[in-house]
Amino acid sequence: MGRNHARVLASLDGVQLVGVVDPMGDKNGWSQGAPVLATVEELIALGIDYAVVACPTALHEPVGLALAEAGVHALIEKPLADTVEGARRLMEAFESRGLVAGVGHIERCNPALRSLRTRLEAGELGDVYQVVTRRQGPFPHRIADVGVVKDLATHDIDLSGWVTGQTYTTIAAHTVSKSGRVHEDMVSAVGQLSDGTMVNHLVNWLSPLKERFTSVTGERGCFVADTLTADLTFHSNAAVATEWEALRAFRGVSEGDMVRYAIPKREPLLVEHELFRDAVLGGPRDICTLRDGLRTVEVAEAVLKSAAGGGTIFLGNRTDDDN
C-alpha cells in the first residue's frame, strides 16, 4: 500500500510529500521523486507534520510510538496493531499528546458504503435486522505476518459497526488453514451488535472468485453494496395482499422494486487522505480513530479466540468514553 499512499500524497492539495522510509530502498521508483530514507528517525528529522504508516502489521506499534513521541500526527494502515495490547498503547500514546491519528480502514471511504451509511442514518431502511458480508479471493503473497482475520476480516468488522453506528457485543467463529501457512486463511463468523442486529462474515483467501459484498436487511428491504464496483442497490419490500386465508397471519415480505443508485465514484484512498489532511488542519475529524481501530482489533482477537475453542465471546457494549 505504501506506493499507493505515496502516489496520492504526491498530488494532494495542501500537502507536500517530503520523504519516504524504506530500509530496502526504492527499487521500483514508487517514491514519487521524494527522498528515500532508511529509518523513521531520519524522516522525523525533516520536521514533518504527519506521516503514513504502511509497513508490516507487527511494525505498526514501534513505528507509531516513535512518531507519537516526536509529536507527529499519523495515519496508520489497518489493522492498527497485531495485538490488542499494542493497539491500546498506540491509542494512549497519540491521545495523551493531543495528536491527530487515524486508521486506514479504507472501506469507510468507499462511495457505496458512504451512501449506505447516510441512508441508514436517514432511516430509509427502518429497523435494521442483519448485516452480511462476503470478502473472498486469491491469496495475496504480500501478506505474511497475519492471517485472513486480521488482514481482511478487520475491514468487515469495522464497516459493519460504522455503517450501523453500533458496537459488537458477541462473536462466534470457525477458521481453517488450507494453504500450508501458519495463519488461518478462511473464517466464518456470526455475531450481534449492540442494538440486536445480527452480523455474518465470510472471509477467505481460498477462492478464485474475488468478491466484496455487503448487504444490510431491515424492515423496508435490503441494501446491497458491491465495494469492488462501488455500486449500491436497494431491493424494497412490496406490500402484496393475499386472499389465501392460511397465509394471512404470516408476516413475511415479497419482492418489490429494485433501485440502483447513481453515486459519484471518487477513489477511496484519495477521499481517505483528504479527510485526514483536513483533520490535521483542524477541520472535522471524519476519520477512523485509533479508539475505533482498537475496538476492531479486539473483535478480531475475539474471532480467533472463538475459533480456537472459546465458543461465543462476549465483548460488552463500549462507548466513546470508555478507556
Side-chain angles (χ1 to χ4, degrees), residues 129 217-221 236-240 250-256:
Y129 302 151
T217 302
E219 65 175 322
R220 295 176 185 163
S236 68
N237 296 338
V240 179
F250 175 67
R251 298 179 60 193
V253 300
S254 57
E255 186 177 358

Side-chain angles (χ1 to χ4, degrees), residues 1-141:
M1 280 298 293
R3 58 176 173 172
N4 294 310
H5 284 294
R7 170 181 56 81
V8 172
L9 286 168
S11 60
L12 186 63
D13 289 342
V15 171
Q16 180 184 2
L17 178 63
V18 296
V20 174
V21 174
D22 191 335
M24 303 296 292
D26 185 14
K27 297 180 179 180
N28 299 292
W30 295 338
S31 65
Q32 302 293 317
V36 180
L37 310 171
T39 68
V40 175
E41 289 71 24
E42 292 177 66
L43 186 67
I44 292 172
L46 295 178
I48 57 174
D49 297 304
Y50 76 90
V52 176
V53 180
C55 53
T57 306
L59 297 178
H60 287 187
E61 183 183 357
V63 171
L65 291 178
L67 293 169
E69 179 67 26
V72 177
H73 308 294
L75 174 62
I76 302 173
E77 260 299 345
K78 63 84 202 163
L80 175 55
D82 57 345
T83 66
V84 169
E85 295 76 17
R88 185 174 291 111
R89 284 189 288 269
L90 282 168
M91 181 194 74
E92 292 171 349
F94 282 92
E95 285 190 352
S96 66
R97 293 170 172 84
L99 296 169
V100 177
V103 186
H105 280 293
I106 197 169
E107 291 289 40
R108 293 191 180 204
C109 300
N110 188 284
L113 293 179
R114 291 183 74 82
S115 178
L116 170 56
R117 183 174 189 250
T118 298
R119 294 175 185 280
L120 291 180
E121 289 177 337
E124 293 185 20
L125 197 59
D127 288 340
V128 176
Y129 302 151
Q130 182 185 47
V131 179
V132 175
T133 69
R134 296 195 303 270
R135 185 176 299 269
Q136 53 188 344
F139 172 67
H141 296 285

